[in-house]
């Protein structure tokens, strides 16, 4: 087994971050994954690829996103808090940083057809968007139950020209959609690229997606230098579902021991309630979606159905990078309950005039637990905007 770099948590050539990662895939998928594995670094480092990617990030996504000093929130917690405004990205969250990169990669690989799976529909919308941009066919697999629950995102994908295919097996949710997408990929090995939406899946996806999202921390360093005269915050906070916004926010700080990395998972009704998605607290080593990581599972290896009020965090695993950051102690993992995340989202709305995504509410909920002082410089990755969560927020207002 490979054990290098556990402290820095950078992947080796087989995609292992310490004990975690790798590619555990059915043999029939091997050619597809192997093509990606052997070509992604060379393509991403190519000068013309970089130019095309940076131009789209600038003109289409709207980067760089601001690093905003949150005056009233800072006063509330007696420290200096900056918000990295991924909510201002086109389509309303960080996910587009990855889909723009992957669509350019798919073009370089000569692919004509794009598939994706989606739970709440956020990644599906970000994928349908870049397929429309490039004129590529787009098929999004989505659990039948999720299609019923997430009608506005289904409508967005269809308006953008994507075909939304219901997954009707099992629990009719995300994991069934993932199975359908993998089946499709096996049946279309030469013309199809599968766009995975977080730092999960078989190698090279966790590294590929982390590289595309790393623009977040690259910008943070530059912007903090302009504002504070130093590139290094004392703390970086991000919520973790699969872990892509956190991976992007942490990426260029992992090798800086002075920077505390704080990942916040969804505790749902409470870590011990049986209705939670706090993977590092409840999980054990296992294989999920093609890589070895920490997984919420029963003693005999059945994946446990997770729960979070926020669809983007409702996932029973975390990417292998985060498993390594957790196990090595490089990042601190906390969790916030549904109620704590809701309260934090309302607090940010009322102190800053910014309605965050419910996912990001979890990151904000950790602020009071960090013992922050006046001399700290904290960056919260504001992963997305809250428009999609309005129904949940309305429910909250009628409850209290
Ligand atoms: C999807 C999503 C997340 C969770 O996904 P990660 O891969 O963990 O970043 C967090 N915030 C928002 C706004 C999302 O849409």
């Amino acid at each position: 087994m490979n054990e290098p770099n556990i402290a820095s948590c950078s992947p080796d050539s087989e995609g292992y971050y310490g004990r975690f990662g790798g590619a555990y895939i059915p043999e029939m998928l091997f050619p597809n994954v192997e093509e990606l594995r052997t070509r992604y670094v060379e393509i991403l480092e190519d000068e013309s690829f970089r130019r095309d990617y940076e131009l789209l990030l600038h003109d289409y996504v709207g980067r760089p996103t601001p690093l905003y000093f949150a005056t009233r929130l800072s006063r509330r917690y007696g420290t200096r808090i900056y918000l990295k405004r991924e909510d201002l990205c086109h389509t309303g969250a960080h996910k587009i940083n990855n889909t723009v990169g992957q669509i350019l990669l798919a073009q370089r690989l000569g692919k004509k057809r794009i598939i994706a799976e989606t739970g709440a529909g956020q990644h599906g919308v970000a994928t349908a968007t870049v397929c429309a941009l490039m004129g590529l066919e787009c098929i999004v697999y989505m659990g039948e139950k999720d299609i019923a629950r997430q009608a506005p995102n289904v409508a967005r994908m269809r308006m953008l020209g994507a075909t939304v295919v219901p997954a009707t097996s099992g629990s009719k949710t995300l994991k069934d959609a993932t199975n359908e997408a993998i089946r499709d990929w096996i049946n279309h090995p030469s013309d199809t690229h599968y766009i995975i939406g977080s730092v999960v899946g078989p190698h090279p996806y966790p590294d590929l997606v982390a590289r595309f999202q790393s623009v977040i921390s690259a910008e943070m360093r530059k912007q903090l230098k302009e504002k504070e005269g130093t590139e290094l915050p004392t703390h970086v906070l991000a919520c973790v579902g699969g872990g892509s916004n956190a991976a992007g926010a942490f990426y260029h700080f992992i090798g800086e021991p002075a920077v505390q990395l704080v990942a916040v998972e969804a505790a749902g009704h409470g870590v011990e309630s049986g209705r939670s998605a706090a993977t590092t607290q409840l999980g054990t080593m296992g294989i999920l979606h093609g890589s070895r990581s920490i997984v919420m599972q029963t003693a005999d290896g059945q994946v446990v159905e997770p729960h979070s009020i926020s669809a983007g965090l409702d996932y029973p695993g975390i990417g292998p990078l985060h498993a390594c950051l957790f196990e090595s102690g490089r990042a601190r993992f906390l969790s916030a309950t549904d109620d704590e995340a809701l309260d934090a989202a309302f607090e940010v709305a009322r102190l800053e005039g910014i309605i965050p995504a419910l996912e990001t509410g979890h990151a904000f909920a950790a602020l009071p637990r960090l013992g922050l002082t006046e001399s700290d410089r904290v960056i919260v990755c504001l992963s997305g905007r809250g428009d999609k969560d309005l129904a949940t927020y309305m429910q909250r207002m009628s409850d209290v």
Side-chain angles (χ1 to χ4, degrees):
M1 201 196 299
N2 303 283
E3 294 259 325
N5 288 327
I6 190 114
S8 66
C9 291
S10 51
D12 68 12
S13 61
E14 302 299 314
Y16 280 93
Y17 302 74
R19 305 195 290 151
F20 304 107
Y24 297 82
I25 50 172
E27 201 170 330
M28 286 167 79
L29 213 54
F30 189 76
N32 312 38
V33 173
E34 187 63 5
E35 181 185 30
L36 264 185
R37 187 183 75 80
T38 53
R39 298 210 45 206
Y40 82 108
V41 172
E42 148 221 342
I43 292 174
L44 262 60
E45 288 176 356
D46 175 67
E47 189 60 36
S48 86
F49 181 90
R50 292 232 61 88
R51 252 198 322 271
D52 289 354
Y53 182 49
E54 279 161 22
L55 187 68
L56 279 178
L57 286 184
H58 186 271
D59 291 352
Y60 189 71
V61 175
R63 304 205 73 90
T65 57
L67 184 70
Y68 162 70
F69 179 68
T71 310
R72 297 186 68 216
L73 193 67
S74 294
R75 203 173 298 144
R76 166 86 175 78
Y77 290 103
T79 187
R80 301 179 64 72
I81 300 173
Y82 287 88
L83 308 181
K84 183 58 174 160
R85 298 291 309 274
E86 296 303 295
D87 59 317
L88 297 178
C89 290
H90 180 43
T91 70
H94 66 288
K95 288 199 172 69
I96 191 116
N97 302 326
N98 169 50
T99 57
V100 161
Q102 287 206 43
I103 202 86
L104 290 172
L105 175 68
Q107 282 183 321
R108 298 297 198 278
L109 292 170
K111 307 296 179 184
K112 302 278 178 272
R113 192 172 165 273
I114 299 296
I115 58 171
E117 89 292 329
T118 196
Q122 295 300 108
H123 173 57
V125 169
T127 302
T129 298
V130 297
C131 289
L133 175 69
M134 296 302 176
L136 294 182
E137 184 185 358
C138 183
I139 294 111
V140 180
Y141 291 94
M142 191 168 183
E144 202 170 43
K145 215 187 248 171
D146 291 332
I147 289 180
R149 289 193 286 204
Q150 310 287 344
N153 276 340
V154 175
R156 286 184 185 102
M157 287 183 266
R158 291 194 168 134
M159 180 158 178
L160 291 160
T163 306
V164 180
V165 179
T168 55
S169 63
S171 57
K172 304 179 172 54
T173 59
L174 180 62
K175 83 174 156 43
D176 313 292
T178 303
N179 291 339
E180 293 295 327
I182 288 171
R183 197 164 306 145
D184 180 308
W185 208 21
I186 288 172
N187 291 329
H188 300 86
S190 56
D191 68 341
T192 297
H193 176 66
Y194 180 14
I195 299 191
I196 292 184
S198 191
V199 285
V200 300
H203 176 61
Y205 281 103
D207 186 43
L208 179 65
V209 177
R211 285 178 190 234
F212 286 138
Q213 293 293 358
S214 72
V215 65
I216 298 173
S217 49
E219 289 176 5
M220 284 176 178
R221 287 187 75 124
K222 232 170 116 186
Q223 292 168 319
L224 197 69
K225 174 86 179 168
E226 284 164 14
K227 290 173 192 294
E228 294 272 344
T230 169
E231 292 186 12
L232 302 185
T234 55
H235 303 73
V236 180
L237 270 75
C239 63
V240 174
S244 70
N245 87 91
F250 294 171
Y251 199 88
H252 292 289
F253 298 115
I254 292 173
E256 305 277 5
V259 182
Q260 283 195 43
L261 308 176
V262 182
V264 188
E265 296 179 308
H269 294 193
V271 172
E272 304 300 336
S273 66
R275 304 265 296 147
S276 171
T279 303
T280 58
Q281 315 219 13
L282 297 168
T284 49
M285 179 126 91
I287 291 170
L288 181 66
H289 298 155
S291 72
R292 189 198 288 147
S293 190
I294 300 173
V295 182
M296 287 169 51
Q297 56 190 336
T298 60
D300 56 353
Q302 296 296 311
V303 173
V304 171
E305 195 72 35
H307 167 81
S308 168
I309 192 172
S310 120
L313 304 185
D314 200 353
Y315 184 70
I318 48 168
L321 164 64
H322 293 293
C324 177
L325 293 173
F326 171 71
E327 198 181 66
S328 67
R330 177 63 191 91
R332 186 170 168 194
F333 279 72
L334 301 174
S335 65
T337 64
D338 292 351
D339 279 338
E340 290 167 338
L342 279 163
D343 287 344
F346 274 84
E347 181 175 81
V348 171
R350 285 163 190 190
L351 287 177
E352 295 295 340
I354 297 170
I355 299 176
L358 201 35
E359 288 83 357
T360 322
H362 291 75
F364 285 114
L367 282 170
R369 283 183 244 159
L370 298 176
L372 298 170
T373 66
E374 243 172 67
S375 57
D376 287 326
R377 297 173 302 274
V378 181
I379 303 181
V380 180
C381 185
L382 212 175
S383 57
R385 57 178 171 248
D387 308 36
K388 68 183 180 57
D389 298 311
L390 214 56
T392 312
Y393 292 151
M394 284 163 70
Q395 180 66 44
R396 183 70 166 184
M397 287 185 279
S398 66
D399 283 352
V400 293

